[in-house]
Amino acid sequence: MPISSFSSEELSYEKVSLEETSGEVLLKERVIDYALNKSNIPLISQLGRSQHGFVNNLTRRKAWSSLLESQLQLSSSKTCEVADSKTINNNDYNDDSDDDNDNVVHEDENQVQLDVKRSFVSVRDVHVRDLLRQVLERVIISVLRKYPQLRYYQGFHDVVSVFVLVYLGDEILASGTDENLILKYDEEISLKKSVEIFTLLYLRDFMMDSLEFPIDQLNIILKIIKKKDIKFYNKLSLGQIEPFFAISSILTIFSHELSPIMDNTYNETLFGIFDLIISTQSMNVPLLIYSNILLGVKDQLLENFEMDIIHFDNKVDLVHAIIQKVILQSIDNDRMWKETMINTRKMNYDKSLISLNKSMLNKYSVLITTASGDAYYNHCYTEKEVMEILRKEIQLNEKRNIEKAQLKMKKSTNSPELGLINKTSMTLAVSLLIGAFAVIISLQRDNSYSTLFKNTGDSLNNIYEYYTVKLVNRSTYVWKQPLESILTYLKSNTTS
Amino acid sequence: MSGLRSTSGSTNGKNYDSIMKILLIGDSGVGKSCLLVRFVDDKFNPSFITTIGIDFKIKTVEINGKKIKLQLWDTAGQERFRTITTAYYRGAMGIILVYDVTDEKTFANIRQWFKTVTEHANDEAQLLLVGNKSDMDTRAVTYEQGEELSKELGIPFIESSAKNDENVNEIFSTLAKLIQEKIDSNRLAANGTGKDSNLNINSGSGSSSKANCC
Ligand SMILES: Nc1nc2c(ncn2[C@@H]2O[C@H](COP(=O)(O)OP(=O)(O)OP(=O)(O)O)[C@@H](O)[C@H]2O)c(=O)[nH]1
Ligand SMILES: [Mg+2]
């Protein structure tokens, strides 16, 4: 339930917009135009939160640009005033930035090409599809080259496809067979800018060197379900499994499951999800939607669970298979989506649902910082602030990866020598630790250190901190093989 | 060829004699999803969607007069998804390692995939090496190279084309037969209980005996 002082306004609007008439939608379109003209960010975001979102792609792209640019100031100007949509001009924004990065190939471009070739599959017209793919590839590559520290993931291309359709879909679809279509340069610039901001503020967790942080996000889905319906949670054994079944929906914000365009018709449901996310500045939305979908098809899930339990080797397989099956059955069901979105809008104000789970996340997660949904109206970040958050989050992710590698090693190695160490005193552990640092320091001296730790000057400190903390806690496995794991880590860094 | 692709799986009722869990792994873009779509739906779409995470499909086939329900798990190839996909190796009875004959790197990476399998799968799991896209004339890995690697790893080898529907059925029928043989010999080796009717896959992941229990 709404908790802010704006709650009554919010509710009354919701009531009005529930009556679904085309007149209503037309009226809303005019109000959005008005809000855009006045650059009234609070009003724009209010409109995006309610049913029908930004109504159509013409108003939508303007609204997304206004909102996103009010959330992150990318230009050189350091101030963070609310952006005036009329005065925003793209001269300020350096597309062909003088950064040398633009011409340096990003390490993931190969994967981008593989995925672009498999994008917009529901567009039949080959010419139109090719145009869409070309734009898609240009946008992804430009963002990756500008921020080489971001890693591309399969599914990022699905998210960017949604932006491509919102900003250039009308124009490209209308072009039909016009071979010589030249896209409006300005629109493509706005498109790139919006994707860039959305990536930095909303998708950052997904673009680390591993899937650790996205998996943290998935676990929140389980927590929400547990809180909402503990019986269902228990019956489906959700406490015993990892929620990997949700990975593609969350990484792609449902754009993998819900094709954004089908037979030249846009998927308004999908665009509405993005409207809600952007106007609440909240990546809680996809997690809430996923939870609500599962809660909405609860009966079918439980029925299938009982029916199929004898057919599967284990619960991970069983739960994955039935969720995939049931969600696929209802993915095109408009009523299911309508109900899900209404419930999600309501839940999005229920801070207890989300804040309850903050401890499960890294402290630089988008869910805690740049897309937390905490500011009732958008919070604006400067480029500098976001770059700093990104840097720290990447560091934290590296730390997590080391931790993970260690756990794995603990499981696999149980050699007798290490067993001996297990029984020896703390002093041996400390001397091993010192040995490890000697290795690192000598590497640092002969300059290979910098190549080992790409962009984090203080990785050494991190490792040091990490080990001392663990040592103090006397966690047995850590001091069992610090040297070995550090060496493995270094080796994997040099060979890759 | 082998009478595969005859029946299509229905969900309820026990209209099968046994179940086999099969996994497809290999680098992104080698054609895992295309092979599966060709096998299950007999279609080829040159731009079928990218796999993100894990996809599940069912197909019932008939081998030597027995109805076998194949549970097919298609995985994402990008390295970062390995954390997730390896969680599904448990209990797999067959694992298909796929590379692209036009892309040397995907072939070289098979060793890495093999290692991942040995770390995460049952020792019992039957492996199969597949070189896909044999229809293309830009081949970079010869048949002999594929065969050599398969011998070294001690697993069978097939070259296929999802596009031209060459050897696609054979991949799955060969694998299913090999798995069935393993099961039968295990059953013989184990105490000869009279109940040989249904294969029970609920026997847990690590256990060597796939025969009836619980
Ligand atoms: N010529 C030819 N092309 C193929 C064949 N199989 C797949 N392809 C092409 O290879 C591309 C990638 O195939 P996918 O099946 O999507 O690859 P995948 O292994 O599932 O990749 P990920 O889902 O990214 O792990 C397809 O879009 C096809 O164009 C084949 O047998 N012959
Ligand atoms: Mg695939």
Side-chain angles (χ1 to χ4, degrees):
Chain A
M1 277 285 106
I3 48 162
S4 97
S5 54
F6 292 92
S7 55
S8 56
E9 223 181 294
E10 185 74 36
L11 279 179
S12 62
Y13 194 87
E14 196 78 54
K15 226 182 280 163
V16 172
S17 62
L18 272 176
E19 291 165 25
E20 213 180 326
T21 64
S22 56
E24 209 67 60
V25 173
L26 272 174
L27 183 65
K28 188 172 185 188
E29 194 181 334
R30 276 207 235 140
V31 181
I32 298 170
D33 269 336
Y34 170 83
L36 284 167
N37 275 325
K38 295 278 177 211
S39 297
N40 187 337
I41 296 294
L43 184 56
I44 297 173
S45 70
Q46 190 81 274
L47 292 162
R49 290 162 198 217
S50 55
Q51 214 191 358
H52 302 301
F54 292 116
V55 179
N56 65 48
N57 282 354
L58 189 65
T59 48
R60 179 167 286 125
R61 58 178 166 263
K62 289 187 214 153
W64 285 10
S65 286
S66 293
L67 289 173
L68 290 170
E69 285 163 31
S70 78
Q71 294 165 10
L72 172 58
Q73 208 73 28
L74 268 182
S75 59
S76 45
S77 63
K78 292 200 174 57
T79 52
C80 209
E81 297 143 21
V82 169
D84 182 339
S85 70
K86 269 188 291 186
T87 58
I88 287 175
N89 61 43
N90 291 313
N91 301 337
D92 213 18
Y93 170 71
N94 218 342
D95 179 46
D96 317 295
S97 81
D98 21 51
D99 255 308
D100 299 333
N101 285 343
D102 283 29
N103 299 317
V104 179
V105 173
H106 188 281
E107 56 184 317
D108 296 326
E109 283 184 31
N110 210 359
Q111 186 67 55
V112 175
Q113 264 139 27
L114 283 174
D115 293 337
V116 167
K117 271 190 240 163
R118 292 176 284 178
S119 64
F120 296 111
V121 289
S122 53
V123 175
R124 294 239 177 83
D125 186 318
V126 181
H127 171 68
V128 168
R129 194 170 62 197
D130 276 353
L131 270 175
L132 290 167
R133 284 181 183 173
Q134 282 164 26
V135 178
L136 177 65
E137 182 163 2
R138 279 203 295 273
V139 175
I140 296 175
I141 299 287
S142 85
V143 173
L144 290 179
R145 289 192 183 182
K146 189 158 176 191
Y147 303 100
Q149 68 270 50
L150 295 177
R151 297 300 306 265
Y152 170 84
Y153 65 92
Q154 288 191 283
F156 181 65
H157 73 297
D158 283 318
V159 177
V160 179
S161 301
V162 173
F163 280 83
V164 169
L165 286 172
V166 167
Y167 281 78
L168 289 166
D170 292 346
E171 205 184 332
I172 293 178
L173 289 179
S175 80
T177 51
D178 179 5
E179 300 278 338
N180 304 313
L181 175 77
I182 295 167
L183 294 169
K184 284 192 210 114
Y185 184 66
D186 272 3
E187 287 291 14
E188 191 165 330
I189 301 271
S190 320
L191 164 63
K192 278 186 190 164
K193 194 172 177 180
S194 289
V195 170
E196 187 179 337
I197 297 175
F198 192 79
T199 303
L200 291 170
L201 298 187
Y202 295 78
L203 302 176
R204 204 177 56 242
D205 290 7
F206 305 160
M207 306 195 69
M208 303 285 123
D209 206 10
S210 73
L211 284 183
E212 292 301 307
F213 294 160
I215 292 171
D216 289 349
Q217 287 200 21
L218 298 187
N219 278 306
I220 290 182
I221 295 172
L222 296 183
K223 285 285 151 72
I224 294 173
I225 292 174
K226 189 176 180 184
K227 179 144 189 256
K228 284 276 160 191
D229 193 338
I230 180 95
K231 260 195 191 154
F232 170 54
Y233 176 89
N234 286 333
K235 276 192 188 155
L236 218 56
S237 315
L238 292 180
Q240 301 162 36
I241 58 175
E242 297 218 64
F244 293 156
F245 47 80
I247 192 73
S248 82
S249 299
I250 299 307
L251 285 182
T252 68
I253 314 184
F254 299 96
S255 54
H256 193 64
E257 285 74 14
L258 290 175
S259 174
I261 183 169
M262 193 64 96
D263 301 325
N264 285 10
T265 311
Y266 295 126
N267 189 326
E268 292 295 336
T269 304
L270 181 61
F271 294 162
I273 294 172
F274 280 73
D275 288 342
L276 186 60
I277 293 171
I278 293 171
S279 50
T280 53
Q281 201 172 346
S282 170
M283 274 300 272
N284 296 319
V285 171
L287 304 174
L288 291 170
I289 291 178
Y290 200 94
S291 312
N292 282 325
I293 292 178
L294 290 191
L295 291 166
V297 294
K298 176 179 129 179
D299 294 341
Q300 288 108 291
L301 287 174
L302 290 175
E303 191 183 311
N304 278 282
F305 188 89
E306 294 303 325
M307 203 165 70
D308 282 342
I309 195 159
I310 52 160
H311 299 155
F312 285 87
D313 173 78
N314 58 64
K315 293 243 171 79
V316 176
D317 291 3
L318 170 66
V319 172
H320 184 112
I322 62 169
I323 288 180
Q324 185 186 311
K325 180 176 149 199
V326 172
I327 287 190
L328 268 181
Q329 280 166 358
S330 43
I331 200 88
D332 295 322
N333 183 335
D334 281 343
R335 225 189 60 206
M336 187 282 283
W337 276 108
K338 207 165 266 173
E339 276 163 22
T340 300
M341 291 308 284
I342 288 173
N343 288 333
T344 303
R345 284 194 186 95
K346 277 190 216 147
M347 271 161 99
N348 205 24
Y349 298 98
D350 185 356
K351 291 283 180 288
S352 67
L353 267 184
I354 304 299
S355 53
L356 190 82
N357 303 307
K358 299 258 147 136
S359 61
M360 300 164 62
L361 300 163
N362 89 76
K363 62 180 173 180
Y364 304 107
S365 165
V366 298
L367 293 174
I368 289 181
T369 56
T370 53
S372 66
D374 282 345
Y376 193 73
Y377 292 127
N378 311 328
H379 177 78
C380 177
Y381 288 85
T382 63
E383 186 169 2
K384 206 174 146 207
E385 283 173 310
V386 173
M387 286 301 110
E388 186 58 16
I389 294 175
L390 173 61
R391 192 181 67 82
K392 288 183 176 154
E393 192 174 10
I394 290 174
Q395 263 178 30
L396 220 53
N397 182 252
E398 280 177 16
K399 216 157 141 181
R400 269 281 282 278
N401 292 343
I402 299 176
E403 226 167 53
K404 189 97 188 277
Q406 234 155 17
L407 266 173
K408 201 176 146 194
M409 219 162 335
K410 186 207 171 193
K411 273 191 210 154
S412 60
T413 53
N414 245 337
S415 59
E417 308 95 81
L418 287 170
L420 262 181
I421 296 171
N422 205 4
K423 288 192 205 96
T424 55
S425 68
M426 195 74 173
T427 17
L428 180 50
V430 173
S431 63
L432 262 176
L433 189 63
I434 292 169
F437 279 105
V439 172
I440 293 181
I441 288 163
S442 68
L443 284 168
Q444 191 177 25
R445 236 181 254 136
D446 68 40
N447 224 357
S448 40
Y449 172 77
S450 54
T451 51
L452 289 172
F453 295 102
K454 280 174 282 176
N455 33 30
T456 51
D458 30 38
S459 283
L460 189 63
N461 273 337
N462 282 346
I463 296 182
Y464 178 76
E465 245 174 55
Y466 172 67
Y467 280 105
T468 16
V469 169
K470 289 286 185 177
L471 274 173
V472 170
N473 292 342
R474 284 175 178 254
S475 166
T476 48
Y477 74 86
V478 175
W479 56 272
K480 214 161 122 185
Q481 66 270 92
L483 183 62
E484 194 187 358
S485 50
I486 288 177
L487 284 175
T488 320
Y489 176 70
L490 293 179
K491 216 168 76 195
S492 70
N493 262 272
T494 34
T495 49
S496 66
Chain B
M1 232 191 106
S2 47
L4 270 170
R5 207 185 271 166
S6 49
T7 38
S8 193
S10 114
T11 42
N12 43 22
K14 235 180 165 192
N15 53 350
Y16 56 86
D17 298 304
S18 61
I19 293 184
M20 291 178 187
K21 176 179 176 180
I22 290 172
L23 217 67
L24 280 109
I25 61 174
D27 282 4
S28 177
V30 298
K32 301 180 293 295
S33 300
C34 285
L35 285 169
L36 212 49
V37 170
R38 168 62 80 190
F39 175 59
V40 175
D41 305 321
D42 197 12
K43 277 190 212 139
F44 180 75
N45 179 344
S47 60
F48 185 75
I49 54 171
T50 301
T51 308
I52 298 169
I54 291 254
D55 271 335
F56 175 65
K57 276 191 187 317
I58 293 182
K59 169 98 178 171
T60 306
V61 297
E62 216 174 288
I63 289 178
N64 302 335
K66 277 191 177 164
K67 275 194 178 158
I68 300 174
K69 187 156 154 178
L70 301 179
Q71 293 178 341
L72 304 157
W73 297 86
D74 186 14
T75 63
Q78 195 187 14
E79 161 107 38
R80 58 176 49 223
F81 286 100
R82 232 171 276 188
T83 334
I84 285 181
T85 51
T86 48
Y88 294 79
Y89 283 32
R90 213 179 106 195
M93 300 159 100
I95 299 178
I96 304 169
L97 297 91
V98 189
Y99 67 90
D100 172 352
V101 300
T102 70
D103 185 345
E104 252 183 298
K105 228 184 81 208
T106 67
F107 180 64
N109 280 342
I110 287 291
R111 284 177 204 280
Q112 184 55 47
W113 285 110
F114 185 80
K115 194 165 159 259
T116 310
V117 168
T118 51
E119 278 167 17
H120 295 274
N122 285 1
D123 295 340
E124 292 280 284
Q126 174 65 50
L127 309 187
L128 174 67
L129 181 66
V130 170
N132 189 40
K133 307 195 189 180
S134 62
D135 58 280
M136 291 183 71
D137 47 21
T138 51
R139 181 190 277 275
V141 183
T142 64
Y143 182 87
E144 287 69 31
Q145 283 172 298
E147 201 173 32
E148 201 174 309
L149 179 63
S150 81
K151 277 187 190 136
E152 186 193 318
L153 301 177
I155 62 180
F157 170 61
I158 293 180
E159 270 198 358
S160 69
S161 162
K163 188 180 177 193
N164 293 355
D165 197 6
E166 276 164 35
N167 276 345
V168 179
N169 275 354
E170 282 69 12
I171 291 174
F172 296 92
S173 60
T174 305
L175 191 60
K177 278 178 196 150
L178 287 169
I179 294 171
Q180 191 62 53
E181 278 166 24
K182 270 195 185 180
I183 293 167
D184 292 343
S185 67
N186 271 350
R187 191 175 291 155
L188 280 179
N191 49 14
T193 49
K195 289 166 78 184
D196 65 337
S197 55
N198 289 328
L199 214 194
N200 196 328
I201 59 151
N202 293 326
S203 49
S205 50
S207 77
S208 54
S209 161
K210 286 273 176 229
N212 311 291
C213 81
C214 15

